[in-house]
Amino acid sequence: MSPREQPSMPGNPDQFEAVGAALDSVRRRPGFGWLLAGIWLFFLNKPLEVILKHDNMPERVLGLTALVLFVICYMAFFGYARYRNMARVTAPLPLRLTFIIVLLVLGALMVPAAGDTALTTLVFVEALGIMVMSLRVGVALGVGLLTLAEISLRLVPGWSDDGSYSISIVLGGLAVFGMRRAIQRSMELAVARQDFAELAVQEERNRFARDLHDILGHSLTVITVKAELAGRLMEANPERAAAEVADVEHLARAALADVRAAVAGYRELSLAGELVAARAALQAAEIKADLPTVVDEVPEENRELFAWVVREGVTNVVRHSGAKRCTIRLDAQQIEVRDDGKGPAPSGSGTGHGLIGLRERADKAGASLQVGQAPGGGFRLAVRVAS
């Protein structure tokens, strides 16, 4: 095989994409990574063959020594650059320039014995330059090497140019550029995955905190109200007080079960069950309850959101309102909780943790949340689902 018939570097764009697609696994297999770099050393077989056939012994020894050192330095420089890339740390610029200069010098030392076949080393210099230098510098280096090859082939006696070296330099640079881009994209993907995982963890923490607040806020409010009622009835009506204490125990157990379910991640609310619990809580707080008795007209997909509205709304009525009456109205697309108490706080409404969590649930379901003064006084909480 003559120098002009030597295999060309891979130049098909599909090959570059295939190399890039496989690079993520390559980065995790150090042995295969070295193979990926070392396989290109096959293209030094022609300079080696020419050097071994050279008549002048000193030039042959010099050429062979330079070739061996070139291979060692290329693999060492490649390994160092790959290590720095995987560690996401850029090597100092003087050191990177030293890489390029050392390879160029070793390639030049091969010229007396290898002749024009020593220009094969320029492909490896360009490949390393694309890997370790900025893209602009790597392209400039490639242009310089192309110019050097073309001028040398035209000016040095006995050398002739058929374009094979220039094409190999270009294709070698493109191949390494494709691998470099694949490495960068792989790193960016890894960072994006890490960020996404952190966001998912944070979102899950927020969800759990919101659920825990809503669960315990309602349950502990009702337990407090019933315990106070039992204390007042202890002497006047011991049987009723005992019943309230039994309800407190039942509520505490239910709250514990809700917390366990929330931790397990499968907790859902029942609209009908929340209406029953709301009626019991309002009666314990001696607030008249005007609540619906059926939920058949509410679509299944809206019931859990409406159940959270009932829970949060009634908790606020019992805890903050000072009301004597609480009314809940619902239809297929809207639920409204209102009372005749003190109304919204002067500093604003809708800023409590429970209401913030409820607003997040409404936004997630594509519903609108309204918090404010009820007509005729009192507090009004309403959620409407878009039709």
Side-chain angles (χ1 to χ4, degrees), residues 140-163:
L141 176 63
V143 172
L145 294 176
L146 279 173
T147 304
L148 175 63
E150 292 298 322
I151 292 176
S152 300
L153 289 168
R154 284 169 171 78
L155 296 182
V156 177
W159 292 11
S160 61
D161 181 23
D162 63 359

Side-chain angles (χ1 to χ4, degrees), residues 349-372:
S349 60
T351 58
H353 291 292
L355 291 176
I356 292 175
L358 185 59
R359 188 179 300 278
E360 292 175 355
R361 297 179 195 277
D363 291 341
K364 186 175 182 180
S368 60
L369 175 68
Q370 298 177 351
V371 179

Side-chain angles (χ1 to χ4, degrees), residues 71-235:
V71 171
I72 294 173
C73 290
Y74 170 75
M75 293 298 291
F77 296 163
F78 175 86
Y80 179 77
R82 182 172 179 270
Y83 168 77
R84 301 285 290 202
N85 284 339
M86 292 180 65
R88 301 177 188 177
V89 179
T90 303
L93 180 59
L95 183 59
R96 287 178 281 157
L97 290 174
T98 302
F99 291 172
I100 305 301
I101 294 172
V102 168
L103 292 183
L104 286 173
V105 170
L106 291 174
L109 292 176
M110 294 165 54
V111 170
D116 61 349
T117 61
L119 295 178
T120 306
T121 59
L122 299 182
V123 180
F124 295 87
V125 175
E126 169 62 1
L128 188 66
I130 289 291
M131 172 173 279
V132 302
M133 308 300 287
S134 66
L135 180 59
R136 181 178 301 178
V137 175
V139 171
L141 176 63
V143 172
L145 294 176
L146 279 173
T147 304
L148 175 63
E150 292 298 322
I151 292 176
S152 300
L153 289 168
R154 284 169 171 78
L155 296 182
V156 177
W159 292 11
S160 61
D161 181 23
D162 63 359
S164 60
Y165 290 114
S166 298
I167 293 174
S168 295
I169 291 172
V170 171
L171 296 183
L174 289 175
V176 176
F177 172 73
M179 292 192 300
R180 175 175 172 173
R181 288 296 299 160
I183 290 175
Q184 291 174 344
R185 290 176 181 175
S186 178
M187 291 179 177
E188 291 169 358
L189 180 60
V191 171
R193 286 173 176 169
Q194 182 178 356
D195 291 343
F196 181 78
E198 292 175 355
L199 288 174
V201 170
Q202 185 61 42
E203 177 62 24
E204 182 61 18
R205 288 174 178 169
N206 291 339
R207 181 202 67 80
F208 181 74
R210 180 183 64 204
D211 284 1
L212 199 60
H213 173 273
D214 294 343
I215 294 167
L216 295 182
H218 174 81
S219 300
L220 294 179
T221 296
V222 177
I223 289 172
T224 301
V225 171
K226 283 187 169 289
E228 291 175 350
L229 179 60
R232 293 198 300 269
L233 295 174
M234 192 69 69
E235 296 182 0

Side-chain angles (χ1 to χ4, degrees), residues 302 305-306 332-334 365-368 383-387:
N302 296 342
L305 175 60
F306 286 7
Q333 293 180 305
Q334 178 171 298
S368 60
V383 169
R384 183 171 185 83
V385 178
S387 57

Side-chain angles (χ1 to χ4, degrees), residues 306-329:
F306 286 7
W308 284 109
V309 176
V310 171
R311 173 172 283 242
E312 178 60 26
V314 171
T315 299
N316 287 338
V317 170
V318 173
R319 183 183 295 173
H320 305 300
S321 69
K324 297 298 182 182
R325 183 184 184 89
C326 175
T327 302
I328 297 179
R329 294 287 180 262

